Amino acid sequence: MIDHLPERLDLLATAGAGRSLRGSVPLARLERVLPALASSDGELQVEFELGRDPGGIYYLAGAIQGDVAVNCQRCLEPVKQTLDLTFRLGLVKDEAEMAALPEHYEALLVTAEPARVVDIVSDEVLLALPLVPLHENDSRCQGVLKEYQPQADAVRESPFAILAGLKQKQP
Ligand SMILES: [Zn+2]
């Protein structure tokens, strides 16, 4: 295990050599993830293992751990999200290789350019973030919910009101 994550990685060469790397990635460097976050403070612990499996497939097995803050969609205050991700990417050069990839791999298209580590991390984090983050068991957030309760009751009663209205209009 090498305690260093380079900026860029020649994925196929590294997988051919068989290497394990780890390091930390500051959230502030994940440009594509930042719009989804409430704060850019903090960092993620990242581990990459690159190699060739017995079937000859070049792969990147990874793990990402750390806390991020996203905005609760009920009260709009930050809510902590703990990431503990593992993933297994098959390194493919074209669509034919992608189609032939065994099911337990996600495809990662390798280009001539060495891959940016922050791009790989960003993709995995974006996939893992909840679409609608919400506080759980937070009294302040639940308080906001209670304020909406009367409206919910009104909506529930409205079908009867509509029915009554229809009956009056009938000849
Ligand atoms: Zn909330």
Side-chain angles (χ1 to χ4, degrees):
M1 182 74 75
I2 301 168
D3 276 316
H4 172 67
L5 267 183
E7 188 98 352
R8 285 175 177 271
L9 210 48
D10 184 331
L11 295 173
L12 292 178
T14 311
R19 293 257 186 280
S20 293
L21 317 160
R22 75 173 161 211
S24 56
V25 175
L27 291 177
R29 291 201 46 224
L30 305 177
E31 303 102 347
R32 282 190 292 125
V33 180
L34 285 180
L37 299 183
S39 164
S40 60
D41 292 341
E43 57 183 27
L44 300 175
Q45 302 306 315
V46 177
E47 281 188 32
F48 285 171
E49 178 204 335
L50 292 105
R52 267 185 102 177
D53 76 7
I57 300 201
Y58 290 81
Y59 68 87
L60 186 167
I64 299 174
Q65 291 172 328
D67 291 338
V68 298
V70 290
N71 285 315
C72 169
Q73 294 305 296
R74 189 158 50 204
C75 69
L76 303 180
E77 294 292 325
V79 53
K80 189 177 89 169
Q81 203 76 40
T82 297
L83 300 178
D84 188 359
L85 318 175
T86 57
F87 49 93
R88 203 167 173 84
L89 307 173
L91 309 178
V92 297
K93 291 189 292 264
D94 51 39
E95 283 187 27
E97 285 190 4
M98 197 181 292
L101 205 58
E103 266 182 26
H104 56 279
Y105 286 112
E106 299 290 325
L108 177 60
L109 193 63
V110 176
T111 60
E113 285 272 290
R116 293 174 76 211
V117 165
V118 290
D119 284 342
I120 298 171
V121 173
S122 296
D123 284 344
E124 296 301 325
V125 171
L126 283 172
L127 279 174
L129 288 180
L131 286 176
V132 183
L134 293 171
H135 284 112
E136 286 174 37
N137 305 321
D138 183 306
S139 59
R140 236 172 8 146
C141 186
Q142 298 299 325
V144 175
L145 183 64
K146 269 184 200 137
E147 285 170 29
Y148 286 130
Q149 209 61 46
Q151 284 180 348
D153 287 343
V155 168
R156 229 173 291 148
E157 285 165 14
S158 67
F160 297 104
I162 293 168
L163 256 185
L166 282 176
K167 275 180 187 156
Q168 281 168 10
K169 276 177 196 160
Q170 278 171 358

